[in-house]
Amino acid sequence: MIADILTGAVRSGTSVMLASQGELISERAGVINLGTEGSMLAGALGGFAVTVWTGNPWLGALAGGGCGLLLSLLHAVLVVGFGANQLATGLAIMFFGIGLTSFFGRDFVSSQIVGFNPVPIPLLSDIPFVGGILFNHDPLTYLSVLLVPAIWYLLFRTRLGIMVRTAGEREDVLFASGLNPRLIRACAVLAGGFLAGLGGAQLSIAYTHSWVENMTAGRGVVAVALVIFASWKPQRAMLGAYLFGAAQALQLTVQQQGWAISPFFLFMFPYLLTLAALLLVERRKLSRTPEALGRVLAGDPGG
Amino acid sequence: MSLNPSPSVAAPAGARSAAAKRLLSWLRQLLVLAIPFALFGLFLLAYGVDPLELYGSMLVSTFGDLYGFGEVLLKATPFVLTGLAAALPAKAGLVNVGGEGQLAVGALFAAWFGVFYLGGLPAWIGIPAMLLAGALGGALWGLAIALLKVKGRLNETITSVLLNYVAVFLVGFFVHGPLKDPESFNWPFSPEIAPTLRLPIFDGTRLHVGFVIAAAIAAIVWFVLARTRLGYRIRVLGSNRLAAERAGMRIGRMYFWVLIAAGAIAGIAGMIEIAGIEGRLRATTGANFGYLGFLAAMMAWNHPLRLLLTAFVLGMISVAGNTLEIGSGLPASAVTILMGLVLFFILGGKRRRG
Amino acid sequence: MERENLLTEPLLSVRGLTKRFGSLTANRSIDLDVRKGSIHAILGENGAGKSTLMKMLYGVYKPDEGSVEIDGRPAELHPPAKARAQGVGMVFQDFRVVPALTVLDNIALAVEKGWGLRRRQLRRRIVDVSAKYGLAVDPDASVWELDLGQRQRLEIVKVLLMPGTRIIIFDEPTSVLVPQEVGAFLDMLRRLREDGYGILLITHKINEVLAVADEATVLRSGEIVFRAGQGEELAGERLIAAMMGDKTLKAVSRTAGGPDEAPAAMAVRGASIRGDHGELALEAFDLDLPAGRITGVAGISGSGQRELAEALFGLRPLASGTLEIGGKPMKPGVRSFIEAGVTLVSEDPVKESVVPGFTILEHMALDGYPLYPKGLGVDWSRLRAELTASPEAAALSVAAPDRRAETLSGGNIQRMVLARALIRRPGILIVSYPSRGLDIGTAYTVQRQLLEAAAQGAAVLLLSEDLDELFKLSDRLVVLAGKRLLGPYRPEEIDQAGIGRLMLKGESA
């Protein structure tokens, strides 16, 4: 049973994990994007549709990322270009994504695809207990795990990463170095949108193999919350996402075990867990919020 | 903007240029609202729907007869209240989207009290009691956001969205469980409330007095913000938190009560949905009304009286959404696209500080 | 001072440089040469146009008239990237660094190119340059952990590592240093000169100029009024005379202020204050603010001035210790401090006091000023009457009550905030940097108002970076250094050098 929950944690946590890694890049550059929810939905539908049309889930995944990127382009333009309120703009993009996908998704509700399926890694997947949890997943999941150290390296060991982090701290310093902070922020938002879209695509073409209206059900918002929980560290965001996934997986396990817990409480649980995790981190208050982001979260005026 | 209480006795020349400036800013704001409608028209054209005809029929069905007008007001009522639930905190510098969940919990409380406790009471006491129950429910949900904000120092936007999901599941739990109508043949909804608890209806329409309640609350919120010492403090806080802190205002306490008041107002919207229209609680009661209210507030630049107008426009669009679905086969979600466009233009057209 | 390279060709040469802001001419026909292996000092009082000139040379401003030559070839310096590409580097007074990043990250951002980063190679270059010029910085330390001197060294390393740097502009470099660090800094300048850099040193400290400069140019009101070094001898008195000009403004001086210790309006005992990141900013200090006296606070900026001011206004809780006003212990929170008659003029009024969209009149009701009731609303006409009748507002020429504050200049806002604080006739007045951003005339008015407030019995705490101002106004002086509060000292018993030694105390890092 524990193995089931842990396997489920990775399986249903991957979409959130991808989205949170993307959001982490964006927030490191000083932009919070609640539109991540919309980008995930767009990615889920776009990825699903392309997989239906081409039968190729890799193209689907790419298209999903592209759709997520397109929605985040709106965020970049409004927030970075026009200096609009980040939180409100993110919400608008979330609504827009919900409307757009339910409009264009009508025809795909009953479509079926093969999509991505778990590919057990030879030998490793045979290890008792651990093998099933870690080494029997779809290709996007493996990819997403590799992505975490890659993003860490990018952010903390390259000059590009320094540029991104400086955009989230002191844009005048970037300016003084002859770099364009707006451009860097916009690119970070777009990268975030791409990964959110990829996460959405993972949900529809690798996890559920279907398209359902509003199927992300707040995973994008959770991804945003997890980044804060993770104190803007990629490894911790991964952990948080799997925790959320485990809370989701609990639903299935409880149903299988036939325990008398209302499913509605199980549905609530992941969101409450996310809130609790946020509260826990905030209590200790040792994390260093990127300065530009801190101003947004505290509600100070300005983009 | 009339929210500015300064008794400005400017020179005539200054007044004229000020009037011109005001006119310009109005025009600019109108334009910001008009462009998305034009864009959505193009979108409609692409789907073979004549936008002029649609917008025309929207106007005709709204202003053509009393019934149509009543329908729009009916739709607009919850938007006014959930809009206030966003606008009031916005004036204090908060981005609260909790209206969605607060409305749901308000509806839950109203239905709960209506079904179990208030059924035997006469209308004059039952309806206000039910209204209070709704307000209480919304306020409790607002309390959660307020506590997380003030005690837990968590950003209210993120917590309010997360709690919206929780609220929907909470209502789901009740209509599938303790509040389920025993005679419903397993459909998830509550029993119907007593007829005495239904809001009185205006003749010739489906419109109930809920709209009057909503308008009155909007007027009260406007008065408090624009004309009272409390409102002055809220506006200082919303404009510059540091200045408010240095003026000795109790910021945490103000955030706390503003969020709870917003919750109570959205909760009343939930009660009105139950007592005015549905008569019973469903899992879908008031779905998306909180988000639409947020939109209405943004369209009104968070001004409580202008909110009446923007909620009305959104009411028109919602009614038109139905016509769209019936008349041309486009799903109602097409309207969400329009609303998204409107939001983007407002956000993009807004000056940095306002 | 006998250096033969005074005859070398200039690296940088400007002719007729002029910059106007609206009707104000900030720089008028400036001619200037910076030579290879030489130090050229630009002297002038605050507001003389030094910073405008330097910003033109670094490419921040585009000159309205005039020409620039580098190595005898016409050059365009605007924007800063162009100036850098031609070898002009600048060490700013307010450092252009990211506190959250490490020293190495900050340097990588500024001096490297491309997206990748060869950390090991860069670290070696940093270590080499630091060793060569005695600029000790730890490449892996986060910048927020560094003190101001270390941050300045980081800035200098950054400029030196930029490819092709030949001309270095230093903007008031010693203002962030304690007097005892200045010697090492000047040694470093000499070493840079030996290595052939052309150095432009912007300062208002004559002793430094006499110690290291080969040439000096004095600016006053945007024009060059004196040159020395090229034929003319560098002499202190002549430089001072040139800087001051024929200043006729009546300087302010203390009139009263007897030796007797007045009763303390505010008494702090054994107090510690934490900074923004939870670190201790000030440790275990005692402080009395006697009624009718001005207590000056000296210290290198960033030594806990902001934390102290905020704690004495209740904005920042004491980490330990007690604070009493009028003999009564204070409850935490700004409100009770305001009720006890404390008022604060913060160091950044534009950020901390201006409410966008509000008029001057509406601003007057903030800062603990009573919000006169009228029904549920506010009695604005009463407040307006008080504002217009107030001598303080008149003396400080506060803008019209119906002006929107965010349309005003920084100096105007400073005056509004000061007037608001003074109109209240506070029992305890905490003022941070009162004359910052004000012209000399207004600064004197403000200083007179502060003396007046003290004469009427207010206990004044004056935080300032200007030692002259502190000595002129204070009855007692305390010094912030190394997380400690030293003193009080009587200005008659200690001189500026003595205060400087104290500022260094505890700075053993």
Side-chain angles (χ1 to χ4, degrees):
Chain A
M1 188 183 79
I2 290 175
D4 283 350
I5 293 178
L6 292 179
T7 313
V10 175
R11 204 159 275 175
S12 81
T14 295
S15 59
V16 178
M17 203 267 270
L18 279 165
S20 69
Q21 297 298 327
E23 174 66 11
L24 191 139
I25 297 175
S26 171
E27 286 189 25
R28 274 283 181 184
V31 181
I32 187 166
N33 183 4
L34 284 166
T36 298
E37 177 78 14
S39 281
M40 281 187 85
L41 272 172
L45 178 62
F48 189 77
V50 169
T51 311
V52 169
W53 291 329
T54 65
N56 183 342
W58 289 105
L59 280 181
L62 206 63
C67 290
L69 183 139
L70 278 180
L71 263 199
S72 69
L73 182 63
L74 274 171
H75 195 66
V77 167
L78 286 169
V79 167
V80 182
F82 288 87
N85 181 307
Q86 296 190 5
L87 294 163
T89 306
L91 286 168
I93 286 167
M94 175 174 145
F95 306 148
F96 190 63
I98 293 173
L100 210 61
T101 52
S102 68
F103 181 82
F104 290 107
R106 278 175 304 163
D107 305 333
F108 292 96
V109 171
S110 50
S111 302
Q112 298 198 332
I113 55 163
V114 180
F116 286 116
N117 285 295
V119 182
I121 294 178
L123 297 179
L124 288 177
S125 60
D126 296 333
I127 304 171
F129 193 70
V130 179
I133 297 170
L134 295 180
F135 302 110
N136 188 10
H137 289 289
D138 64 87
L140 282 184
T141 302
Y142 295 132
L143 205 68
S144 71
V145 174
L146 295 179
L147 191 70
V148 177
I151 287 181
W152 177 86
Y153 183 84
L154 184 87
L155 280 176
F156 297 100
R157 283 295 173 268
T158 67
R159 187 160 173 271
L160 184 64
I162 295 170
M163 279 149 64
V164 169
R165 286 185 291 143
T166 306
E169 299 278 349
R170 296 275 171 104
E171 57 180 343
D172 50 329
V173 175
L174 275 183
F175 212 70
S177 300
L179 296 162
N180 184 345
R182 289 177 158 204
L183 185 70
I184 292 168
R185 280 198 175 152
C187 289
V189 172
L190 294 183
F194 181 85
L195 288 179
L198 194 64
Q202 195 273 344
L203 198 64
S204 64
I205 58 185
Y207 184 54
T208 66
H209 296 102
S210 64
W211 161 255
V212 183
E213 193 174 306
N214 201 9
M215 68 186 296
T216 53
R219 279 181 171 81
V221 182
V222 168
V224 174
L226 286 178
V227 175
I228 298 170
F229 156 75
S231 315
W232 299 274
K233 295 193 177 85
Q235 341 49 304
R236 283 184 61 179
M238 173 163 91
L239 184 82
Y242 288 155
L243 203 67
F244 178 84
Q248 293 271 5
L250 203 61
Q251 291 163 20
L252 283 173
T253 312
V254 168
Q255 272 168 25
Q256 282 160 5
Q257 302 284 325
W259 291 342
I261 302 175
S262 165
F264 289 99
F265 286 113
L266 295 173
F267 294 153
M268 281 178 214
F269 181 59
Y271 302 95
L272 292 174
L273 187 73
T274 307
L275 279 172
L278 275 180
L279 206 55
L280 199 78
V281 171
E282 193 58 38
R283 280 271 138 197
R284 285 186 285 143
K285 194 64 202 168
L286 287 170
S287 69
R288 295 181 58 88
T289 311
E291 280 182 42
L293 196 66
R295 286 193 291 275
V296 175
L297 289 176
D300 287 343
Chain B
M1 216 160 89
S2 58
L3 256 184
N4 197 353
S6 73
S8 40
V9 198
R16 209 176 302 129
S17 79
K21 259 190 194 155
R22 248 166 98 149
L23 190 71
L24 261 173
S25 108
W26 267 92
L27 276 177
R28 180 192 149 92
Q29 293 177 18
L30 259 176
L31 197 69
V32 160
L33 294 180
I35 295 171
F37 279 87
L39 282 179
F40 187 65
L42 292 177
F43 174 82
L44 287 174
L45 270 179
Y47 278 84
V49 178
D50 181 355
L52 291 180
E53 199 185 309
L54 181 77
Y55 293 154
S57 78
M58 214 166 95
L59 287 174
V60 169
S61 67
T62 306
F63 297 105
D65 56 23
L66 197 61
Y67 180 82
F69 193 70
E71 280 301 292
V72 170
L73 284 184
L74 197 67
K75 279 277 184 194
T77 301
F79 302 159
V80 171
L81 291 169
T82 51
L84 289 171
L88 175 62
K91 281 288 172 195
L94 300 169
V95 181
N96 172 42
V97 242
E100 183 81 9
Q102 288 150 359
L103 182 147
V105 177
L108 172 65
F109 268 59
W112 176 277
F113 278 81
V115 168
F116 289 121
Y117 307 117
L118 305 175
L121 296 174
W124 64 270
I125 183 158
I127 290 176
M130 194 170 151
L131 187 108
L132 282 181
L136 177 69
L140 278 177
W141 216 243
L143 174 71
I145 299 167
L147 280 176
L148 288 169
K149 169 85 186 172
V150 176
K151 297 284 171 201
R153 291 190 299 180
L154 292 186
N155 175 270
E156 71 287 351
T157 315
I158 293 165
T159 58
S160 62
V161 180
L162 286 173
L163 281 170
N164 285 347
Y165 291 100
V166 177
V168 169
F169 293 127
L170 192 69
V171 172
F173 167 73
F174 274 93
V175 294
H176 282 91
L179 251 180
K180 189 155 94 173
D181 186 352
E183 290 155 30
S184 73
F185 303 104
N186 254 341
W187 287 103
F189 49 68
S190 77
E192 201 160 343
I193 57 169
T196 48
L197 295 177
R198 301 299 295 261
L199 295 177
I201 284 178
F202 295 104
D203 288 342
T205 64
R206 294 205 301 146
L207 182 66
H208 50 70
V209 296
F211 185 79
V212 181
I213 299 174
I217 294 177
I220 293 171
V221 170
W222 171 80
F223 179 80
V224 168
L225 282 174
R227 291 282 183 265
T228 68
R229 294 191 291 283
L230 175 65
Y232 169 79
R233 295 198 179 99
I234 290 176
R235 287 182 292 122
V236 172
L237 174 58
S239 245
N240 187 341
R241 187 170 46 86
L242 297 173
E245 204 178 352
R246 278 156 179 73
M249 296 184 194
R250 297 183 175 117
I251 290 178
R253 189 187 283 199
M254 284 169 70
Y255 281 154
F256 188 81
W257 288 109
V258 161
L259 285 169
I260 287 181
I265 293 171
I268 291 173
M271 175 272 176
I272 288 174
E273 283 308 290
I274 302 290
I277 303 173
E278 304 213 18
R280 59 175 83 212
L281 181 66
R282 297 167 204 274
T284 55
T285 298
N288 282 333
F289 287 3
Y291 294 131
L292 289 170
F294 182 80
L295 171 63
M298 293 221 59
M299 286 169 69
W301 272 260
N302 296 316
H303 187 293
L305 295 184
R306 273 203 249 167
L307 177 63
L308 291 173
L309 199 71
T310 56
F312 186 81
V313 172
L314 286 188
M316 278 170 71
I317 296 174
S318 296
V319 174
N322 294 340
T323 351
L324 196 67
E325 193 154 26
I326 298 162
S328 57
L330 278 183
S333 56
V335 174
T336 343
I337 297 175
L338 169 62
M339 292 179 176
L341 288 175
V342 171
L343 270 180
F344 294 144
F345 275 87
I346 290 170
L347 288 162
K350 216 169 188 174
R351 276 152 301 170
R352 263 183 191 259
R353 290 178 160 195
Chain C
M1 287 296 143
E2 280 136 65
R3 299 179 51 85
E4 58 242 77
N5 56 16
L6 286 184
L7 300 170
T8 55
E9 278 302 302
L11 269 175
L12 171 78
S13 160
V14 303
R15 291 291 174 267
L17 225 50
T18 298
K19 181 73 192 170
R20 297 185 198 89
F21 298 106
S23 59
L24 177 91
T25 304
N27 276 179
R28 191 192 306 271
S29 335
I30 305 288
D31 298 346
L32 191 73
D33 292 325
V34 181
R35 288 163 222 282
K36 190 169 167 10
S38 101
I39 298 175
H40 189 148
I42 306 282
L43 274 154
E45 291 234 84
N46 290 334
K50 287 176 299 183
S51 78
T52 304
L53 174 60
M54 147 205 108
K55 280 181 176 158
M56 282 195 286
L57 295 180
Y58 190 58
V60 178
Y61 295 150
K62 196 177 162 61
D64 293 321
E65 286 162 29
S67 64
V68 179
E69 285 184 0
I70 288 184
D71 287 335
R73 280 186 294 275
E76 173 76 47
L77 296 176
H78 175 82
K82 272 194 187 155
R84 265 199 308 274
Q86 316 213 40
V88 180
M90 169 127 181
V91 177
F92 286 95
Q93 197 177 359
D94 51 331
F95 308 121
R96 306 292 160 97
V97 289
V98 187
L101 302 187
T102 64
V103 167
L104 186 125
D105 285 351
N106 268 290
I107 292 174
L109 183 70
V111 308
E112 297 281 317
K113 295 249 177 299
W115 289 0
L117 179 59
R118 287 150 79 185
R119 296 179 72 83
R120 195 170 304 168
Q121 192 208 25
L122 180 62
R123 174 174 288 116
R124 206 177 47 238
R125 287 170 61 205
I126 294 171
V127 172
D128 289 350
V129 164
S130 324
K132 187 170 176 193
Y133 294 104
L135 296 160
V137 278
D138 172 9
D140 296 310
S142 290
V143 170
W144 60 269
E145 299 168 325
L146 305 183
D147 65 30
L148 291 170
Q150 289 169 315
R151 287 186 198 200
Q152 182 179 64
R153 295 203 281 277
L154 157 63
E155 281 278 293
I156 298 169
V157 170
K158 215 162 84 176
V159 168
L160 290 173
L161 286 179
M162 282 196 199
T165 300
R166 293 178 299 164
I167 300 156
I168 307 177
I169 308 173
F170 287 90
D171 178 19
E172 301 279 358
T174 50
S175 66
V176 299
L177 301 176
V178 292
Q180 284 72 3
E181 282 176 317
V182 171
F185 174 81
L186 296 179
D187 281 342
M188 185 217 55
L189 281 189
R190 292 188 188 102
R191 247 174 287 173
L192 289 174
R193 172 170 64 192
E194 279 160 28
D195 285 350
Y197 288 99
I199 290 166
L200 200 59
L201 177 65
I202 290 161
T203 182
H204 60 260
K205 294 181 182 157
I206 288 159
N207 289 334
E208 291 164 16
V209 176
L210 296 177
V212 295
D214 303 304
E215 295 175 68
T217 299
V218 179
L219 280 183
R220 198 170 69 224
S221 319
E223 286 180 78
I224 293 180
V225 291
F226 184 72
R227 290 171 202 277
Q230 292 287 75
E232 191 85 36
E233 199 190 341
L234 272 170
E237 307 79 58
R238 307 212 36 191
L239 290 173
I240 293 174
M243 276 170 72
M244 300 308 236
D246 45 346
K247 206 174 278 175
T248 51
L249 275 167
K250 189 171 138 277
V252 183
S253 62
R254 271 173 313 130
T255 46
D260 55 306
E261 272 305 318
M266 183 189 273
V268 185
R269 290 291 172 270
S272 298
I273 307 172
R274 290 193 185 284
D276 291 341
H277 299 298
E279 79 285 5
L280 273 180
L282 283 175
E283 263 174 304
F285 67 91
D286 297 343
L287 178 65
D288 281 333
L289 300 186
R293 296 283 179 276
I294 295 181
T295 307
V297 180
I300 306 161
S301 56
S303 301
Q305 285 92 335
R306 187 167 58 87
E307 288 82 356
L308 176 67
E310 290 182 358
L312 299 189
F313 187 56
L315 267 172
R316 205 175 267 273
L318 293 181
S320 64
T322 59
L323 193 161
E324 289 182 355
I325 292 178
K328 283 195 280 289
M330 290 303 294
K331 277 186 300 181
V334 173
R335 213 183 163 81
S336 53
F337 280 73
I338 288 177
E339 278 160 11
V342 187
T343 197
L344 168 74
V345 175
S346 66
E347 65 176 66
D348 188 353
V350 175
K351 181 174 148 213
E352 293 168 351
S353 302
V354 171
V355 184
F358 278 39
T359 61
I360 297 267
L361 182 65
E362 288 173 288
H363 275 87
M364 282 296 145
L366 292 168
D367 191 26
Y369 208 82
L371 204 51
Y372 298 122
K374 184 179 183 182
L376 290 170
V378 184
D379 192 348
W380 292 110
S381 37
R382 179 168 167 199
L383 191 61
R384 177 185 297 267
E386 284 191 4
L387 175 62
T388 32
S390 136
E392 288 88 355
L396 288 166
S397 45
V398 174
D402 293 316
R403 282 284 297 275
R404 291 219 171 178
E406 78 263 28
T407 62
L408 299 176
S409 70
N412 257 316
I413 284 164
Q414 177 84 344
R415 293 206 299 267
M416 170 190 91
V417 172
L418 281 163
R420 183 171 73 188
L422 292 165
I423 293 173
R424 271 182 70 201
R425 304 271 151 83
I428 299 168
L429 176 60
I430 302 165
V431 197
S432 299
Y433 312 111
S435 25
R436 216 184 237 181
L438 299 180
D439 58 89
I440 289 183
T442 315
Y444 285 160
T445 311
V446 168
Q447 292 172 352
R448 265 193 294 273
Q449 294 278 343
L450 290 178
L451 288 171
E452 176 69 13
Q456 292 186 355
V460 180
L461 184 74
L462 169 67
L463 298 101
S464 178
E465 53 204 351
D466 182 348
L467 280 181
D468 291 338
E469 181 174 69
L470 284 172
F471 270 87
K472 216 156 58 183
L473 299 181
S474 306
D475 300 292
R476 317 153 69 242
L477 276 167
V478 296
V479 180
L480 299 183
K483 303 188 178 180
R484 295 202 292 141
L485 185 145
L486 311 167
Y489 305 95
R490 299 176 51 79
E492 297 86 351
E493 294 162 0
I494 193 164
D495 57 5
Q496 298 206 1
I499 293 286
R501 268 193 299 280
L502 291 166
M503 280 155 71
L504 180 73
K505 228 179 189 177
E507 287 274 325
S508 47

